[in-house]
Amino acid sequence: MNYRLDHIALNCKNLDESVQYYEKVLGGKPTEERKAGDGNRFRFIELSGSAPIQLIESTDESGINHYGFVADDMDQAVAELKAKNAEIIREIRDKAGKLTTLFVKDCNGLKMEVRLLR
């Protein structure tokens, strides 16, 4: 299975200020604002030549929320991760029940996302 780094997600206290910061400092281009499953606002900051940064507004935390990879085949990815005793903490399925995203806890306790390459 091939995995490609897709994004790094950061918790931030103020989404609007954080977006302005990454636009100014790194020349990032923000995507439209969306809401996560927990209701928190987020935006991606697309960077030239690099994986994007996902900024997630959080009044409780700052720092790394998760890092994300894409895979070509989610069935193969989940089978391999389970065979290697990876700790799967959340599975997300589409309306048809097809697995699209996994969250795994890495050896340092960080969340790692693996999602289907679109």
Side-chain angles (χ1 to χ4, degrees):
M1 173 62 50
N2 294 316
Y3 298 97
R4 188 183 85 226
L5 182 65
D6 183 61
H7 66 278
I8 304 292
L10 304 174
N11 292 317
C12 59
K13 302 273 185 207
N14 184 303
L15 180 62
D16 299 323
E17 285 180 9
S18 297
V19 166
Q20 289 174 1
Y21 175 84
Y22 284 100
E23 281 181 296
K24 178 182 174 184
V25 173
L26 298 180
K29 304 289 184 228
T31 63
E32 291 296 317
E33 183 179 307
R34 297 186 289 189
K35 289 210 180 223
D38 61 5
N40 287 336
R41 300 183 316 140
F42 73 90
R43 292 175 83 172
F44 284 90
I45 304 295
E46 295 178 355
L47 303 167
S48 178
S50 179
I53 298 169
Q54 181 182 13
L55 299 172
I56 304 170
E57 190 165 65
S58 172
T59 56
D60 303 330
E61 301 177 64
S62 62
I64 295 176
N65 180 288
H66 68 274
Y67 53 101
F69 292 92
V70 291
D72 335 317
D73 184 323
M74 285 302 293
D75 293 331
Q76 183 180 353
V78 73
E80 288 181 5
L81 290 166
K82 286 181 177 180
K84 294 175 182 177
N85 295 318
E87 184 180 346
I88 296 173
I89 54 178
R90 184 173 170 210
E91 294 184 5
I92 299 173
R93 297 180 180 276
D94 65 15
K95 292 177 183 177
K98 182 177 178 179
L99 182 64
T100 60
T101 308
L102 290 174
F103 281 93
V104 178
K105 187 181 288 188
D106 80 2
C107 63
N108 296 298
L110 295 172
K111 286 188 291 185
M112 175 176 59
E113 176 184 8
V114 178
R115 70 173 182 82
L116 184 62
L117 177 62
R118 295 180 190 143

